[in-house]
């Protein structure tokens, strides 16, 4: 029984040490603000949760609709239309993701080289914010377009298949 108080004490002492080092290891990243996975996702045009406002409020994304096309009983026309939306979204998102990677790398470089100034910081963060906003809009707007292509039954089926069933607001999309 003596072990439990000893272990509890060690955990309590170790807790603050772990809490103070949440970024340990990140200093070796090529771009400190982006993980390797984030860089890969941005470069590939993946959503990275940027469209959750749409997805979780009943506006399906084109990629997930295509993944569930058979279970949603998409018509050939619907499938072709959603594929065009997905291709368009990707053609917008990939260059924006690449731009964001470059902007984050430049901001990181300014800090690493110790040449950052208040002015360059303001300009760099403003540029990053504009690109992040454009990237998010690029993903969100295709959720709007995708929802407009689906029937109410397909929308409900999509929500169920994605695990969003239960109490949901029903949206009209015309």
């Amino acid at each position: 029984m003596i072990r439990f108080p000893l272990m509890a004490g060690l955990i309590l002492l170790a807790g603050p040490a772990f809490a103070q080092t949440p970024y340990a290891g990140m200093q070796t990243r090529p771009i400190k603000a982006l993980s390797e996975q984030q860089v890969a996702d941005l470069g590939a045009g993946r959503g990275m949760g940027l469209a959750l406002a749409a997805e979780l409020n009943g506006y399906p994304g084109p990629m997930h609709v295509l993944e569930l096309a058979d279970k949603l009983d998409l018509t050939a026309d619907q499938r072709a239309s959603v594929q065009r939306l997905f291709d368009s979204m990707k053609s917008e998102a990939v260059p924006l993701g690449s731009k964001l990677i470059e902007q984050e790398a430049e901001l990181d470089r300014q800090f690493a080289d110790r040449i950052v100034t208040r002015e360059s910081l303001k300009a760099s963060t403003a540029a990053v914010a504009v690109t992040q906003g454009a990237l998010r809009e690029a993903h969100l707007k295709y959720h709007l377009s995708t929802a407009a292509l689906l029937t109410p039954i397909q929308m409900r089926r999509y929500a169920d298949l994605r695990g969003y069933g239960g109490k949901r607001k029903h949206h009209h999309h015309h």
Side-chain angles (χ1 to χ4, degrees), residues 137-157:
E137 180 195 9
H139 283 281
L140 286 166
K141 72 182 179 182
Y142 288 101
H143 282 249
L144 286 176
S145 300
T146 301
L149 296 172
L150 303 179
T151 68
I153 291 170
Q154 289 169 322
M155 294 283 283
R156 283 191 296 279
R157 180 79 178 130

Side-chain angles (χ1 to χ4, degrees), residues 85-111:
L85 290 174
F86 176 75
D87 293 343
S88 294
M89 180 188 68
K90 196 159 179 127
S91 72
E92 282 185 53
V94 168
L96 287 168
S98 295
K99 184 176 182 179
L100 185 57
I101 292 166
E102 290 171 15
Q103 290 170 328
E104 287 286 358
E106 171 57 23
L107 181 59
D108 190 85
R109 186 190 65 76
Q110 288 179 39
F111 276 100

Side-chain angles (χ1 to χ4, degrees), residues 43 47 54 118:
R118 288 186 185 270

Side-chain angles (χ1 to χ4, degrees), residues 33-103:
L34 298 174
S35 70
E36 287 181 29
Q37 184 63 54
Q38 288 171 312
V39 171
D41 288 346
L42 287 166
R46 288 189 283 272
M48 299 174 31
L50 293 172
L52 286 176
E55 178 72 19
L56 298 177
N57 281 299
Y59 294 86
M63 181 182 80
H64 298 305
V65 168
L66 289 172
E67 291 170 347
L68 298 170
D70 292 336
K71 292 179 180 178
L72 294 173
D73 293 322
L74 293 187
T75 66
D77 285 346
Q78 283 177 313
R79 194 181 294 251
S81 294
V82 174
Q83 184 65 56
R84 279 191 298 276
L85 290 174
F86 176 75
D87 293 343
S88 294
M89 180 188 68
K90 196 159 179 127
S91 72
E92 282 185 53
V94 168
L96 287 168
S98 295
K99 184 176 182 179
L100 185 57
I101 292 166
E102 290 171 15
Q103 290 170 328

Side-chain angles (χ1 to χ4, degrees), residues 15-23:
F18 290 120
Q20 293 173 5
T21 60
Y23 304 129

